[in-house]
mmCIF file of all heavy atoms in Angstrom:
data_model
loop_
_atom_site.group_PDB
_atom_site.id
_atom_site.type_symbol
_atom_site.label_atom_id
_atom_site.label_comp_id
_atom_site.label_asym_id
_atom_site.label_seq_id
_atom_site.Cartn_x
_atom_site.Cartn_y
_atom_site.Cartn_z
ATOM 1 N N GLN A 199 62.582 9.495 -40.731
ATOM 2 C CA GLN A 199 62.927 8.579 -41.813
ATOM 3 C C GLN A 199 61.768 7.635 -42.096
ATOM 4 O O GLN A 199 61.160 7.073 -41.190
ATOM 5 C CB GLN A 199 64.176 7.773 -41.455
ATOM 6 C CG GLN A 199 64.742 6.981 -42.636
ATOM 7 C CD GLN A 199 66.086 6.362 -42.293
ATOM 8 O OE1 GLN A 199 66.526 6.425 -41.174
ATOM 9 N NE2 GLN A 199 66.726 5.765 -43.276
ATOM 10 N N GLY A 200 61.475 7.466 -43.378
ATOM 11 C CA GLY A 200 60.405 6.556 -43.781
ATOM 12 C C GLY A 200 59.016 7.093 -43.565
ATOM 13 O O GLY A 200 58.030 6.379 -43.744
ATOM 14 N N LYS A 201 58.874 8.350 -43.169
ATOM 15 C CA LYS A 201 57.566 8.907 -42.840
ATOM 16 C C LYS A 201 56.740 9.183 -44.094
ATOM 17 O O LYS A 201 55.531 9.054 -44.083
ATOM 18 C CB LYS A 201 57.760 10.186 -42.023
ATOM 19 C CG LYS A 201 56.486 10.973 -41.750
ATOM 20 C CD LYS A 201 55.460 10.154 -40.995
ATOM 21 C CE LYS A 201 55.906 9.841 -39.597
ATOM 22 N NZ LYS A 201 54.856 9.114 -38.844
ATOM 23 N N CYS A 202 57.394 9.578 -45.205
ATOM 24 C CA CYS A 202 56.659 10.099 -46.351
ATOM 25 C C CYS A 202 56.845 9.245 -47.593
ATOM 26 O O CYS A 202 57.849 8.561 -47.757
ATOM 27 C CB CYS A 202 57.097 11.536 -46.647
ATOM 28 S SG CYS A 202 56.689 12.681 -45.316
ATOM 29 N N SER A 203 55.848 9.318 -48.450
ATOM 30 C CA SER A 203 55.904 8.717 -49.782
ATOM 31 C C SER A 203 55.229 9.690 -50.742
ATOM 32 O O SER A 203 54.687 10.718 -50.328
ATOM 33 C CB SER A 203 55.178 7.370 -49.797
ATOM 34 O OG SER A 203 53.801 7.553 -49.551
ATOM 35 N N HIS A 204 55.253 9.358 -52.022
ATOM 36 C CA HIS A 204 54.647 10.268 -53.000
ATOM 37 C C HIS A 204 53.129 10.350 -52.848
ATOM 38 O O HIS A 204 52.511 11.262 -53.410
ATOM 39 C CB HIS A 204 55.014 9.839 -54.421
ATOM 40 C CG HIS A 204 56.396 10.291 -54.839
ATOM 41 N ND1 HIS A 204 56.756 11.615 -54.849
ATOM 42 C CD2 HIS A 204 57.485 9.591 -55.219
ATOM 43 C CE1 HIS A 204 58.026 11.720 -55.240
ATOM 44 N NE2 HIS A 204 58.490 10.498 -55.463
ATOM 45 N N SER A 205 52.530 9.441 -52.104
ATOM 46 C CA SER A 205 51.094 9.559 -51.831
ATOM 47 C C SER A 205 50.801 10.712 -50.885
ATOM 48 O O SER A 205 49.642 11.074 -50.688
ATOM 49 C CB SER A 205 50.559 8.251 -51.233
ATOM 50 O OG SER A 205 51.137 8.014 -49.972
ATOM 51 N N MET A 206 51.854 11.309 -50.292
ATOM 52 C CA MET A 206 51.685 12.429 -49.364
ATOM 53 C C MET A 206 52.244 13.730 -49.954
ATOM 54 O O MET A 206 52.486 14.682 -49.216
ATOM 55 C CB MET A 206 52.368 12.117 -48.037
ATOM 56 C CG MET A 206 51.799 10.895 -47.318
ATOM 57 S SD MET A 206 52.759 10.410 -45.871
ATOM 58 C CE MET A 206 52.450 11.792 -44.766
ATOM 59 N N ASP A 207 52.449 13.775 -51.275
ATOM 60 C CA ASP A 207 52.939 15.004 -51.899
ATOM 61 C C ASP A 207 51.941 16.137 -51.666
ATOM 62 O O ASP A 207 50.745 15.993 -51.922
ATOM 63 C CB ASP A 207 53.148 14.788 -53.404
ATOM 64 C CG ASP A 207 54.361 13.929 -53.700
ATOM 65 O OD1 ASP A 207 55.193 13.742 -52.795
ATOM 66 O OD2 ASP A 207 54.486 13.440 -54.837
ATOM 67 N N VAL A 208 52.443 17.278 -51.202
ATOM 68 C CA VAL A 208 51.567 18.383 -50.845
ATOM 69 C C VAL A 208 51.389 19.329 -52.022
ATOM 70 O O VAL A 208 52.274 19.460 -52.882
ATOM 71 C CB VAL A 208 52.129 19.140 -49.620
ATOM 72 C CG1 VAL A 208 53.322 19.990 -50.001
ATOM 73 C CG2 VAL A 208 51.054 20.001 -48.955
ATOM 74 N N GLY A 209 50.241 19.982 -52.078
ATOM 75 C CA GLY A 209 49.975 20.994 -53.088
ATOM 76 C C GLY A 209 49.465 22.265 -52.428
ATOM 77 O O GLY A 209 49.060 22.269 -51.258
ATOM 78 N N VAL A 210 49.477 23.370 -53.170
ATOM 79 C CA VAL A 210 49.053 24.672 -52.654
ATOM 80 C C VAL A 210 48.217 25.374 -53.713
ATOM 81 O O VAL A 210 48.499 25.265 -54.914
ATOM 82 C CB VAL A 210 50.278 25.542 -52.275
ATOM 83 C CG1 VAL A 210 49.860 26.976 -51.996
ATOM 84 C CG2 VAL A 210 50.996 24.965 -51.069
ATOM 85 N N ILE A 211 47.177 26.077 -53.266
ATOM 86 C CA ILE A 211 46.373 26.928 -54.148
ATOM 87 C C ILE A 211 46.499 28.365 -53.661
ATOM 88 O O ILE A 211 46.251 28.659 -52.493
ATOM 89 C CB ILE A 211 44.900 26.489 -54.148
ATOM 90 C CG1 ILE A 211 44.761 25.069 -54.702
ATOM 91 C CG2 ILE A 211 44.050 27.456 -54.965
ATOM 92 C CD1 ILE A 211 43.354 24.531 -54.655
ATOM 93 N N CYS A 212 46.924 29.248 -54.547
ATOM 94 C CA CYS A 212 47.109 30.668 -54.218
ATOM 95 C C CYS A 212 46.022 31.506 -54.895
ATOM 96 O O CYS A 212 45.382 31.082 -55.851
ATOM 97 C CB CYS A 212 48.484 31.161 -54.690
ATOM 98 S SG CYS A 212 49.888 30.144 -54.160
ATOM 99 N N SER A 213 45.837 32.716 -54.412
ATOM 100 C CA SER A 213 44.886 33.651 -55.013
ATOM 101 C C SER A 213 45.479 35.046 -55.026
ATOM 102 O O SER A 213 46.138 35.454 -54.069
ATOM 103 C CB SER A 213 43.569 33.665 -54.231
ATOM 104 O OG SER A 213 42.739 34.730 -54.681
ATOM 105 N N ARG A 214 45.214 35.804 -56.123
ATOM 106 C CA ARG A 214 45.692 37.178 -56.216
ATOM 107 C C ARG A 214 44.931 38.094 -55.266
ATOM 108 O O ARG A 214 45.398 39.167 -54.924
ATOM 109 C CB ARG A 214 45.600 37.693 -57.654
ATOM 110 C CG ARG A 214 44.197 37.961 -58.138
ATOM 111 C CD ARG A 214 44.148 38.238 -59.639
ATOM 112 N NE ARG A 214 44.830 39.441 -60.013
ATOM 113 C CZ ARG A 214 44.255 40.626 -60.199
ATOM 114 N NH1 ARG A 214 42.963 40.753 -59.986
ATOM 115 N NH2 ARG A 214 44.954 41.661 -60.575
ATOM 116 N N TYR A 215 43.735 37.655 -54.843
ATOM 117 C CA TYR A 215 42.953 38.435 -53.889
ATOM 118 C C TYR A 215 43.362 38.020 -52.480
ATOM 119 O O TYR A 215 43.066 36.901 -52.033
ATOM 120 C CB TYR A 215 41.454 38.211 -54.099
ATOM 121 C CG TYR A 215 40.997 38.538 -55.500
ATOM 122 C CD1 TYR A 215 40.532 37.549 -56.352
ATOM 123 C CD2 TYR A 215 41.059 39.837 -55.983
ATOM 124 C CE1 TYR A 215 40.120 37.848 -57.641
ATOM 125 C CE2 TYR A 215 40.654 40.153 -57.270
ATOM 126 C CZ TYR A 215 40.189 39.154 -58.102
ATOM 127 O OH TYR A 215 39.791 39.457 -59.377
ATOM 128 N N THR A 216 44.035 38.907 -51.782
ATOM 129 C CA THR A 216 44.608 38.531 -50.489
ATOM 130 C C THR A 216 43.739 38.939 -49.300
ATOM 131 O O THR A 216 43.948 38.441 -48.201
ATOM 132 C CB THR A 216 46.008 39.141 -50.339
ATOM 133 O OG1 THR A 216 45.936 40.554 -50.617
ATOM 134 C CG2 THR A 216 46.969 38.517 -51.327
ATOM 135 N N ASP A 217 42.754 39.818 -49.507
ATOM 136 C CA ASP A 217 41.882 40.177 -48.392
ATOM 137 C C ASP A 217 40.688 40.972 -48.914
ATOM 138 O O ASP A 217 40.716 41.517 -50.026
ATOM 139 C CB ASP A 217 42.641 41.005 -47.347
ATOM 140 C CG ASP A 217 42.011 40.906 -45.970
ATOM 141 O OD1 ASP A 217 40.977 40.221 -45.846
ATOM 142 O OD2 ASP A 217 42.560 41.502 -45.024
ATOM 143 N N PHE A 218 39.621 41.030 -48.112
ATOM 144 C CA PHE A 218 38.402 41.765 -48.442
ATOM 145 C C PHE A 218 37.951 42.524 -47.201
ATOM 146 O O PHE A 218 38.138 42.059 -46.071
ATOM 147 C CB PHE A 218 37.288 40.797 -48.880
ATOM 148 C CG PHE A 218 37.597 39.996 -50.108
ATOM 149 C CD1 PHE A 218 38.374 38.849 -50.027
ATOM 150 C CD2 PHE A 218 37.113 40.377 -51.339
ATOM 151 C CE1 PHE A 218 38.664 38.094 -51.148
ATOM 152 C CE2 PHE A 218 37.396 39.635 -52.476
ATOM 153 C CZ PHE A 218 38.174 38.497 -52.380
ATOM 154 N N ARG A 219 37.312 43.684 -47.401
ATOM 155 C CA ARG A 219 36.784 44.433 -46.265
ATOM 156 C C ARG A 219 35.672 45.359 -46.739
ATOM 157 O O ARG A 219 35.541 45.648 -47.948
ATOM 158 C CB ARG A 219 37.882 45.236 -45.583
ATOM 159 C CG ARG A 219 38.456 46.374 -46.429
ATOM 160 C CD ARG A 219 39.647 47.052 -45.751
ATOM 161 N NE ARG A 219 40.168 48.168 -46.534
ATOM 162 C CZ ARG A 219 41.312 48.813 -46.262
ATOM 163 N NH1 ARG A 219 42.040 48.428 -45.221
ATOM 164 N NH2 ARG A 219 41.703 49.819 -47.017
ATOM 165 N N LEU A 220 34.859 45.816 -45.786
ATOM 166 C CA LEU A 220 33.818 46.810 -46.046
ATOM 167 C C LEU A 220 34.183 48.084 -45.296
ATOM 168 O O LEU A 220 34.429 48.053 -44.089
ATOM 169 C CB LEU A 220 32.450 46.286 -45.598
ATOM 170 C CG LEU A 220 31.972 44.991 -46.274
ATOM 171 C CD1 LEU A 220 30.626 44.558 -45.722
ATOM 172 C CD2 LEU A 220 31.902 45.170 -47.783
ATOM 173 N N MET A 221 34.189 49.220 -46.006
ATOM 174 C CA MET A 221 34.683 50.476 -45.444
ATOM 175 C C MET A 221 33.592 51.537 -45.400
ATOM 176 O O MET A 221 32.675 51.571 -46.223
ATOM 177 C CB MET A 221 35.861 50.984 -46.275
ATOM 178 C CG MET A 221 37.057 50.042 -46.301
ATOM 179 S SD MET A 221 37.815 49.803 -44.676
ATOM 180 C CE MET A 221 38.482 51.446 -44.395
ATOM 181 N N ASN A 222 33.733 52.420 -44.395
ATOM 182 C CA ASN A 222 32.924 53.621 -44.259
ATOM 183 C C ASN A 222 31.491 53.339 -43.841
ATOM 184 O O ASN A 222 30.621 54.198 -43.972
ATOM 185 C CB ASN A 222 32.915 54.438 -45.575
ATOM 186 C CG ASN A 222 32.663 55.915 -45.329
ATOM 187 O OD1 ASN A 222 33.110 56.460 -44.309
ATOM 188 N ND2 ASN A 222 31.975 56.569 -46.247
ATOM 189 N N GLY A 223 31.222 52.139 -43.320
ATOM 190 C CA GLY A 223 29.898 51.832 -42.806
ATOM 191 C C GLY A 223 29.863 52.014 -41.298
ATOM 192 O O GLY A 223 30.859 52.364 -40.650
ATOM 193 N N SER A 224 28.695 51.732 -40.707
ATOM 194 C CA SER A 224 28.551 51.882 -39.261
ATOM 195 C C SER A 224 29.056 50.648 -38.503
ATOM 196 O O SER A 224 29.143 50.668 -37.279
ATOM 197 C CB SER A 224 27.073 52.112 -38.906
ATOM 198 O OG SER A 224 26.282 51.017 -39.319
ATOM 199 N N SER A 225 29.351 49.562 -39.223
ATOM 200 C CA SER A 225 29.927 48.358 -38.621
ATOM 201 C C SER A 225 30.761 47.663 -39.678
ATOM 202 O O SER A 225 30.798 48.082 -40.846
ATOM 203 C CB SER A 225 28.825 47.414 -38.111
ATOM 204 O OG SER A 225 28.167 46.779 -39.205
ATOM 205 N N GLN A 226 31.427 46.583 -39.273
ATOM 206 C CA GLN A 226 32.266 45.842 -40.217
ATOM 207 C C GLN A 226 31.422 45.050 -41.210
ATOM 208 O O GLN A 226 31.964 44.433 -42.123
ATOM 209 C CB GLN A 226 33.192 44.881 -39.475
ATOM 210 C CG GLN A 226 32.475 43.772 -38.717
ATOM 211 C CD GLN A 226 33.422 42.814 -38.054
ATOM 212 O OE1 GLN A 226 34.633 43.045 -38.046
ATOM 213 N NE2 GLN A 226 32.891 41.742 -37.486
ATOM 214 N N CYS A 227 30.101 45.053 -41.044
ATOM 215 C CA CYS A 227 29.219 44.291 -41.913
ATOM 216 C C CYS A 227 28.459 45.166 -42.908
ATOM 217 O O CYS A 227 27.440 44.750 -43.476
ATOM 218 C CB CYS A 227 28.241 43.460 -41.081
ATOM 219 S SG CYS A 227 29.039 42.083 -40.224
ATOM 220 N N GLU A 228 28.899 46.389 -43.116
ATOM 221 C CA GLU A 228 28.328 47.202 -44.174
ATOM 222 C C GLU A 228 29.376 48.210 -44.623
ATOM 223 O O GLU A 228 30.285 48.580 -43.874
ATOM 224 C CB GLU A 228 27.065 47.930 -43.694
ATOM 225 C CG GLU A 228 27.312 48.984 -42.627
ATOM 226 C CD GLU A 228 26.038 49.753 -42.276
ATOM 227 O OE1 GLU A 228 24.987 49.104 -42.222
ATOM 228 O OE2 GLU A 228 26.109 50.982 -42.095
ATOM 229 N N GLY A 229 29.257 48.619 -45.903
ATOM 230 C CA GLY A 229 30.191 49.618 -46.388
ATOM 231 C C GLY A 229 30.584 49.419 -47.833
ATOM 232 O O GLY A 229 30.002 48.604 -48.569
ATOM 233 N N ARG A 230 31.561 50.189 -48.237
ATOM 234 C CA ARG A 230 32.129 50.141 -49.581
ATOM 235 C C ARG A 230 33.042 48.915 -49.689
ATOM 236 O O ARG A 230 33.819 48.610 -48.787
ATOM 237 C CB ARG A 230 32.919 51.426 -49.824
ATOM 238 C CG ARG A 230 33.583 51.545 -51.168
ATOM 239 C CD ARG A 230 34.313 52.878 -51.280
ATOM 240 N NE ARG A 230 35.396 53.016 -50.303
ATOM 241 C CZ ARG A 230 35.365 53.816 -49.241
ATOM 242 N NH1 ARG A 230 34.299 54.560 -48.990
ATOM 243 N NH2 ARG A 230 36.384 53.878 -48.400
ATOM 244 N N VAL A 231 32.937 48.173 -50.810
ATOM 245 C CA VAL A 231 33.715 46.944 -50.983
ATOM 246 C C VAL A 231 35.136 47.295 -51.411
ATOM 247 O O VAL A 231 35.342 47.974 -52.429
ATOM 248 C CB VAL A 231 33.076 46.016 -52.035
ATOM 249 C CG1 VAL A 231 33.918 44.760 -52.210
ATOM 250 C CG2 VAL A 231 31.646 45.673 -51.644
ATOM 251 N N GLU A 232 36.108 46.850 -50.616
ATOM 252 C CA GLU A 232 37.522 47.003 -50.978
ATOM 253 C C GLU A 232 38.191 45.639 -50.977
ATOM 254 O O GLU A 232 37.924 44.788 -50.115
ATOM 255 C CB GLU A 232 38.224 47.964 -50.018
ATOM 256 C CG GLU A 232 37.718 49.402 -50.141
ATOM 257 C CD GLU A 232 38.623 50.411 -49.451
ATOM 258 O OE1 GLU A 232 39.661 50.004 -48.892
ATOM 259 O OE2 GLU A 232 38.291 51.620 -49.487
ATOM 260 N N ILE A 233 39.054 45.434 -51.979
ATOM 261 C CA ILE A 233 39.737 44.158 -52.170
ATOM 262 C C ILE A 233 41.237 44.404 -52.197
ATOM 263 O O ILE A 233 41.710 45.334 -52.869
ATOM 264 C CB ILE A 233 39.295 43.480 -53.490
ATOM 265 C CG1 ILE A 233 37.780 43.262 -53.504
ATOM 266 C CG2 ILE A 233 40.022 42.160 -53.685
ATOM 267 C CD1 ILE A 233 37.264 42.640 -54.787
#
Side-chain angles (χ1 to χ4, degrees):
Q199 190 172 6
K201 173 59 67 176
C202 296
S203 65
H204 280 302
S205 65
M206 299 172 68
D207 287 345
V208 74
V210 169
I211 297 176
C212 309
S213 170
R214 72 190 295 263
Y215 303 114
T216 52
D217 204 359
F218 298 81
R219 67 186 182 190
L220 300 179
M221 299 296 293
N222 206 35
S224 60
S225 73
Q226 64 177 7
C227 289
E228 67 175 39
R230 180 179 63 252
V231 179
E232 293 194 1
I233 302 178

